[in-house]
Every structure is written in C-alpha cells, then in structure tokens.
Amino acid sequence: MIQKIDHLGIAVKSLDESILYYEKSLGLKCEHVEEVESQKVRTAFFDVGGTHIELLEPTSPESPIAKFLEKNGEGIHHIAFKTDDITGQLKQASDSGVKLIHETPFEGAGDKLVAFLHPKSTHGVLTEFCACKA
Ligand code: ZN
C-alpha cells in the first residue's frame, strides 16, 4: 500500500548552488549528500515535514539526469511514493497495464529499495516506488 509521498526528485545542474538556494533562500537544512553510483548522480536531501526534496546532479554525461537536463533543463524530475510492499506495488501497476522501467527493485539513495514506472504510462510523471529494506 502507498503510505505517503516520500520525496520529490528535482534535477539540477549544480548540487552546491542548489543547496545554497534551499538553505539560504528557503531556510531548509540539507540532511545529507550521497552519491548513487548505479544512477550516476549525487543527491542532497531536505526534510519538509516528513516529505523530502531530493536534488539530483549528474556525475556523468551518461547519467539519466544528464539526459533529462539536456532535454528539459532543471526542474521536477520524479515523484516518489513510499510503499510497504514494493514488489506488490509493481505487480499492481504492471497488472493494470503500466509499463515498468524496472521489473525488479534496486538499491537507491538512503539505503532504500526503489523502482520506476515509465512516464509514458503514468500521464507524464516519472513515478518511483520506494521502500525501506526489510
Ligand atoms: Zn527518488
């Protein structure tokens, strides 16, 4: 079952410059910065009342985020729903005709299992499921 919006992923060109904006202009506090090698990104997390902002900076031109920036510029990249059963959630989506980007969850930032649904079958929103590792 989906429990909450876990985070919004935002693609940025420079993590350092973006962190400054969120800290100085909005008064939020960066909780941690982490590199996710499998996705070729550096991430920074801000807590906003239990939902997080996840800034994503590409670490390589091969990164999906580099491709997103090239196409769209900076902006909202994905929405992530926290679920207590990521496998069941993927099956429910798939059974209802949604195209999955990942059939099997993999390890994302924050030591969580994550998987993405294809934006072509989610009305334009790249959608992530995430779950705490059992
Ligand atoms: Zn995410």
Side-chain angles (χ1 to χ4, degrees):
M1 198 177 81
I2 288 177
Q3 298 165 313
K4 62 181 265 198
I5 293 178
D6 188 79
H7 62 272
L8 294 174
I10 298 175
V12 300
K13 289 183 202 148
S14 159
L15 206 59
D16 295 339
E17 279 176 32
S18 312
I19 287 173
L20 268 183
Y21 160 71
Y22 283 92
E23 289 196 327
K24 302 261 181 237
S25 308
L26 300 189
L28 297 171
K29 175 127 186 50
C30 180
E31 283 187 328
H32 77 280
V33 172
E34 177 184 346
E35 185 160 342
V36 184
E37 257 173 65
S38 64
Q39 295 297 292
K40 300 187 174 71
V41 290
R42 273 208 318 147
T43 64
F45 284 91
F46 296 82
D47 178 37
V48 189
T51 295
H52 288 77
I53 299 280
E54 174 188 41
L55 303 180
L56 301 149
E57 173 199 68
T59 54
S60 141
E62 302 304 303
S63 166
I65 296 301
K67 289 177 182 139
F68 178 90
L69 286 171
E70 221 169 87
K71 224 174 128 189
N72 309 285
E74 294 185 308
I76 292 187
H77 176 259
H78 66 272
I79 183 169
F81 294 108
K82 183 179 184 213
T83 170
D84 55 3
D85 175 13
I86 193 163
T87 309
Q89 209 74 52
L90 285 169
K91 186 177 184 310
Q92 181 182 350
S94 173
D95 285 352
S96 72
V98 170
K99 192 174 165 214
L100 309 181
I101 296 179
H102 307 101
E103 306 271 342
T104 317
F106 62 96
E107 201 165 307
D111 209 28
K112 284 178 178 154
L113 287 174
V114 304
F116 287 83
L117 308 183
H118 200 286
K120 283 217 170 101
S121 39
T122 60
H123 301 270
V125 180
L126 179 60
T127 300
E128 171 185 340
F129 290 143
C130 66
C132 296
K133 281 199 282 184

